[in-house]
Amino acid sequence: MLTVSGYYVGFMALLVAVLPLAASERTRMVGAWLGGGLCLAFMALRYDAGYDYFSYRQMATWQVDLSFLEPAPAALARMARAWGEPQLFFFITAFLYVSCFVTALVMSRRNLAWCLLFFVCLPLIYLSAFGFVKQHVAIALFMVAMACLERGMRLPALVLMLVGTSFHYTLALYLPLLVLYPLLRRAYPFWVYLGLLPLCFVAGPLAKSALSALGLYAHYFEDFSGGGQKLYVIYLLICLGTLGLWKHFRLSLDPWAFNLMFIGVALYTLFITYGEHVARASYYFLPFAIFVICDVIEHFRDKLLPSLISGALMMALFFMSLKVAAGNQDHDFLNNYQFYFLSDEALVVGNGGQS
């Protein structure tokens, strides 16, 4: 049975207390940045929370060679080593991740209370960033880049994507969007979206062959680790549910946000049979589900029930993520959370190395 850490309960209680500020037109910016600051503090101060947490901690404490790292995280790890404070690595990456993400949420001009709640509760976004640090910083930079690109700001978008690539090379695969982005502004017929998903499912072997022939990430396909199916189902249901509501209720959806989310679901469909570590190529696009769900709720804003159901589902997803972490076969990668300054490691350092 899962015993939920008081850290997560307290964090969620504080976030819910801030959300009314983000929902009000007069205080939306204050609420957004207060909520963002809370997310930043909770992420930056973490200890023993995140799937690869201790791998990154070793990078920042002279325990591993950094030659295999992308340049940006390697530079941050060297900075943490030079200062003799490994937590500096987590603070800087948390600052980059949360500040970029909240900037993208603000630029979307949607209800920031819902945006913040979805950011924290949807799987593979905030809590996932505790572990897969490099890629999620790249994802946050990609989110801001797409917000700039939507406004026709191509040069800032290019710069942001190049910086993101310095954190995780996989982002380079999506640089062509800087040229192809006009295609994302269009709403396509219902049957196009519905037909592409099964096509992606059967096209997985072709994608594997093409990437292997190009010498791109071929080793990822050789090491099958499984997993990710339940998370895939969540995003598939969001996608199909939105399509169904769009068809039945004639929703006024933002094609830009929906198409970007759809790319994520399509990529997840394409690679899910090879394991979650391959399907992580879709993680760049899945956060656009935040905006899609916001648009759906906005369509039904005069009805209380959709909002209540959405809030309850988000809470369920947040605590479900903790349950999934607790049941991981390798280790519980979230529920051991504690503040770094209260951890045994920090206390030893504070006592001059004497326990």
Side-chain angles (χ1 to χ4, degrees), residues 205-216:
L206 293 176
K208 174 187 174 182
S209 299
L211 290 173
S212 298
L214 293 171
L216 297 172

Side-chain angles (χ1 to χ4, degrees), residues 337-355:
Y337 183 105
Q338 58 183 311
F339 289 141
Y340 170 67
F341 55 83
L342 297 178
S343 67
D344 291 340
E345 180 176 330
L347 294 176
V348 169
V349 172
N351 290 327
Q354 302 297 318
S355 60

